Amino acid sequence: MSGVFYGIGVGPGDPELLTVKAIHAIKDVDVLIAPKTEKKEGSVALSIAQPYLKEDVKIVYQVFPMVRGFAENSTDAWANNKKEILALLEEGKNVAFLTLGDPMFYSTYIYVYRLLEHEPVEIRTIPGIPAFAAIGSQMGYPIVEGNDILAVIPATAAPEKVEKALDAADNAVLMKVYKNFGEVTDILARHDMSRQAVLVSRAGLEEERIIHDIEAHKEEKLNYLSTILTRKN
C-alpha cells in the first residue's frame, strides 16, 4: 500500500507557531523531505520543526533549483527528486515535505505538488502561518481593516508591476526584499508608503532584525527572508 505525501507549512520561524495538525503529522511520518539551496548546508524549515521530530525519522535533503516557467523548464534535479519521493511512497512510507510559511504561498512545495498531483498517491497539505501574518501580530501592525485593499507583492517582480499593484492598494506586503531593497524603498516613497513601513528580516529566527526607518537603511544588504508591511498615509 502506498504511503501518504504531506506538504507541511512550518510557519515563519518560531517552532511554537506550528499548528497542532502539523505537529501531529511531523511526529507520525517516516521520512521528512528537507529542501535546501544549492549554496547552503542544512534546511531552515527542518530546524524549525526540530523539536517535534521522532528519533527514528529519516531525513532526506533535496536541492530544488529555482527555474522560471516551471512546467517548461523543470530540470533533471526536479525529476530525480520526484522519482525519489515516489519510491519512498511506493515502499509504504509516509513522507512529508517541510516548507517555510504556508505551502501554497510563494512556496517550493507548489512545484512539488504539481509534480505529484497527477500521480496515484494521496496528498495532504497542511497550512502554515505566513511571515507577514506573524509580523503583523508581533509588531501590533494591522495588515488590513475595514474595506482596505491589500496587495501582496514579491519584491523580485518587475518594478512596473510593483508600481501598478501599489496604485490599486491601500495596504501592502512586500516579500523577498533583499536584492533590490533600495529600489523598493524608492518606489514606496513615491507612493507615500515608506514612512509607515516596517521591515522584519528572519522573523522568529535567530538574527531577527526589525527596521522602522527603511529610507535610512535602504543601502544595506538584507537576508532573503525579509518582509515589509506598509500602508498609504
Side-chain angles (χ1 to χ4, degrees):
M1 187 168 117
S2 177
V4 176
F5 182 75
Y6 292 87
I8 302 177
V10 299
D14 183 349
E16 293 187 353
L17 291 180
L18 269 74
T19 66
V20 173
K21 190 167 188 174
I23 292 170
H24 286 165
I26 289 169
K27 288 181 176 179
D28 288 342
V29 297
D30 306 297
V31 181
L32 286 173
I33 304 294
K36 56 178 286 189
T37 68
E38 296 172 273
K39 298 180 181 179
K40 295 182 180 179
E41 292 299 318
S43 163
V44 177
L46 178 62
S47 68
I48 295 169
Q50 195 71 43
Y52 310 111
L53 306 188
K54 62 182 183 181
E55 291 184 5
D56 60 343
V57 69
K58 180 179 179 179
I59 308 295
V60 175
Y61 291 95
Q62 290 188 338
V63 174
F64 293 89
M66 293 298 98
V67 292
R68 292 188 180 275
F70 171 76
E72 300 81 18
N73 299 313
S74 56
T75 65
D76 288 343
W78 285 86
N80 291 336
N81 290 342
K82 174 184 177 180
K83 184 177 179 181
E84 184 174 30
I85 292 170
L86 287 175
L88 291 166
L89 293 170
E90 287 168 4
E91 292 173 13
K93 299 184 184 300
N94 292 327
V95 180
F97 182 94
L98 302 180
T99 185
L100 289 171
D102 181 83
M104 292 297 189
F105 196 90
Y106 290 131
S107 168
T108 302
Y109 170 76
I110 295 170
Y111 307 117
V112 178
Y113 177 83
R114 287 175 177 163
L115 286 173
L116 299 176
E117 65 177 327
H118 299 299
E119 300 292 332
V121 298
E122 181 180 355
I123 301 175
R124 300 178 189 173
T125 305
I126 300 174
I129 296 174
F132 68 84
I135 291 168
S137 295
Q138 176 186 343
M139 303 300 300
Y141 193 111
I143 298 169
V144 278
E145 53 188 301
N147 293 320
D148 288 348
I149 295 174
L150 175 69
V152 180
I153 305 167
T156 51
E160 58 271 20
K161 291 187 71 175
V162 176
E163 296 267 12
K164 287 180 180 179
L166 292 176
D167 283 338
D170 300 300
N171 299 16
V173 171
L174 290 102
M175 305 182 70
K176 309 174 192 175
V177 184
Y178 66 111
K179 285 184 178 179
N180 54 349
F181 180 28
E183 182 180 26
V184 168
T185 299
D186 290 341
I187 292 173
L188 290 176
R190 289 198 294 273
H191 287 264
D192 196 19
M193 298 178 79
S194 61
R195 287 173 294 171
Q196 302 77 250
V198 60
L199 181 147
V200 179
S201 181
R202 294 181 63 81
L205 296 166
E206 289 184 12
E207 303 174 357
E208 178 185 82
R209 187 180 181 199
I210 300 170
I211 298 175
H212 290 280
D213 187 352
I214 63 172
E215 292 192 49
H217 295 268
K218 69 178 186 177
E219 302 302 326
E220 298 180 18
K221 291 185 177 180
L222 298 177
N223 183 270
Y224 173 78
L225 300 174
S226 296
T227 301
I228 290 175
L229 303 187
T230 189
R231 60 172 69 96
K232 285 182 178 165
N233 198 11

